Amino acid sequence: MIDLHTHTNCSDGTDSPAQLVNKALAEGLTVLALTDHDTTSGWESAQKTLRGDLSLALGAEISCLTSDGISVHMLGLLFDGAHTQMQEMLENTRDGRIPRAHKMIELLNAGGIRVSMEDVESVKPVGATLGRPHIADALVKNGVVSSRDEAFTDLLHNNSPYYVAHLAPTPEDAISMIRSAGGVAVIAHPFASHRGKVLSAADFLPLKNAGLNGIEVNHRDHNNEERNALAEIAHELDLVVTGASDYHGTGKLNSLGENHTHQAQWERLESEADQRRVIRA
Ligand code: AMP
Ligand code: ZN
Ligand code: FE
Ligand code: FE
């Protein structure tokens, strides 16, 4: 089983990278990609824990914003972690998440909802990429809502009056950066419409021209119609089709391996990186 999209407590997942690798081993995964939001900080620890027959594809889920203000998530896999400009891009996004959280907290407070940056810091693992799930956890801690999911449904979703975007590269810029760092770019859950405005079919050609390698088709946030439409786009543009869990530990219902990538698709994707960067014990 090949799962190419997972999160740890280096961003908004709840397992440590070591726990995630152990879980992947226990469940018999053959390839696990580590894709925390806008950071590579879990790579070293995941690599140290690696053993057995599991292969590790190190990566990141890069937050992007189109010029129309549409939020896009780009999975970068198998890129060089020492690529300076890539690390600068990730750091700029992480930095931009701090004023964004302050603004969302101000809006929530103005709406009579009690939550502070201190509350958020107290629930966020040290060093983790700050995100809305941590604001959600602070709201749970304060008794405003009972779960992360309820926090998103009621207060933190993309169309909420409390929602604020953060600075992020365009999808084309993220793809170019991933490719110049030697990796491969797979657009994550592109038709997950319940998250807010999404791309249309015509938007994929410019991404392909920027160097996009694949489309995450099989993801729990896509219904069958959306999966079929994406599979057709992938076919027309000759892009790799992936499936993945987007596992977040106990932060979301998603279970490891619930969607997966076919071996032939993975082999093609892997061959499109500039060198063999898959890690084996
Ligand atoms: P952000 O990157 O700060 O905009 O936050 C987006 C993150 O929130 C994504 O990683 C999602 O996985 C997570 N998220 C979105 N909706 C939910 C939900 N209903 N429950 C838990 N996490 C969610
Ligand atoms: Zn997440
Ligand atoms: Fe995502
Ligand atoms: Fe994700």
Side-chain angles (χ1 to χ4, degrees):
M1 192 87 93
I2 300 168
D3 192 338
L4 297 183
H5 180 173
T6 67
H7 296 269
T8 74
N9 61 7
C10 292
S11 63
D12 55 3
T14 57
D15 290 352
S16 67
Q19 286 169 329
L20 175 59
V21 167
N22 286 334
K23 183 151 194 201
L25 280 161
E27 302 203 355
L29 258 62
T30 52
V31 183
L32 171 76
L34 190 73
T35 56
D36 275 305
H37 298 283
D38 307 309
T39 186
T40 61
S41 66
W43 285 17
E44 201 183 314
S45 154
Q47 192 170 344
K48 272 194 202 144
T49 316
L50 188 65
R51 62 199 186 281
D53 288 329
L54 181 66
S55 294
L56 197 56
L58 297 173
E61 184 175 16
I62 301 175
S63 311
C64 306
L65 211 50
T66 70
S67 52
D68 296 334
I70 298 175
S71 163
V72 170
H73 287 175
M74 194 63 63
L75 296 167
L77 302 174
L78 305 172
F79 61 85
D80 174 11
H83 190 275
T84 310
Q85 285 167 306
M86 168 63 96
Q87 287 296 344
E88 277 170 12
M89 188 180 83
L90 297 175
E91 189 178 352
N92 286 337
T93 303
R94 292 196 301 273
D95 287 350
R97 286 170 164 278
I98 299 165
R100 178 267 199 138
H102 279 289
K103 280 184 206 154
M104 286 190 68
I105 288 165
E106 266 175 40
L107 291 172
L108 287 161
N109 292 161
I113 296 152
R114 189 176 64 86
V115 64
S116 67
M117 197 61 166
E118 289 67 44
D119 296 329
V120 175
E121 289 295 346
S122 77
V123 295
K124 186 179 86 72
V126 176
T129 302
L130 172 61
R132 278 179 285 165
H134 303 113
I135 302 179
D137 291 347
L139 291 167
V140 172
K141 188 189 107 171
N142 289 0
V144 177
V145 289
S146 61
S147 67
R148 262 192 193 185
D149 200 48
E150 192 183 328
F152 270 89
T153 305
D154 293 355
L155 300 166
L156 303 178
H157 58 89
N158 290 42
N159 300 316
S160 155
Y162 309 115
Y163 177 75
V164 177
H166 58 78
L167 284 179
T170 64
E172 282 86 349
D173 285 348
I175 291 167
S176 305
M177 191 65 81
I178 292 163
R179 299 306 305 275
S180 51
V184 291
V186 176
I187 187 167
H189 49 72
F191 281 177
S193 54
H194 74 88
R195 293 174 183 235
K197 205 164 169 254
V198 297
L199 298 180
S200 55
D203 295 325
F204 287 79
L205 180 59
L207 300 183
K208 163 89 183 178
N209 291 337
L212 184 70
N213 302 86
I215 302 181
E216 187 180 61
V217 173
N218 295 309
H219 184 284
R220 70 154 54 209
D221 292 354
H222 292 148
N223 61 29
N224 279 337
E225 202 182 325
E226 290 161 342
R227 289 177 198 218
N228 291 339
L230 285 168
E232 193 174 318
I233 294 168
H235 180 73
E236 276 170 15
L237 298 179
D238 191 27
L239 291 164
V240 169
V241 168
T242 73
S245 65
D246 203 356
Y247 173 76
H248 278 73
T250 59
K252 276 188 151 187
L253 295 173
N254 313 27
S255 55
L256 205 56
E258 65 172 29
N259 279 292
H260 64 276
T261 299
H262 295 289
Q263 178 70 24
Q265 296 292 308
W266 161 244
E267 281 172 15
R268 174 174 161 202
L269 189 64
E270 209 237 305
S271 75
E272 292 176 9
D274 76 336
Q275 55 175 272
R276 196 137 209 275
R277 286 214 186 79
V278 177
I279 298 173
R280 303 269 313 157

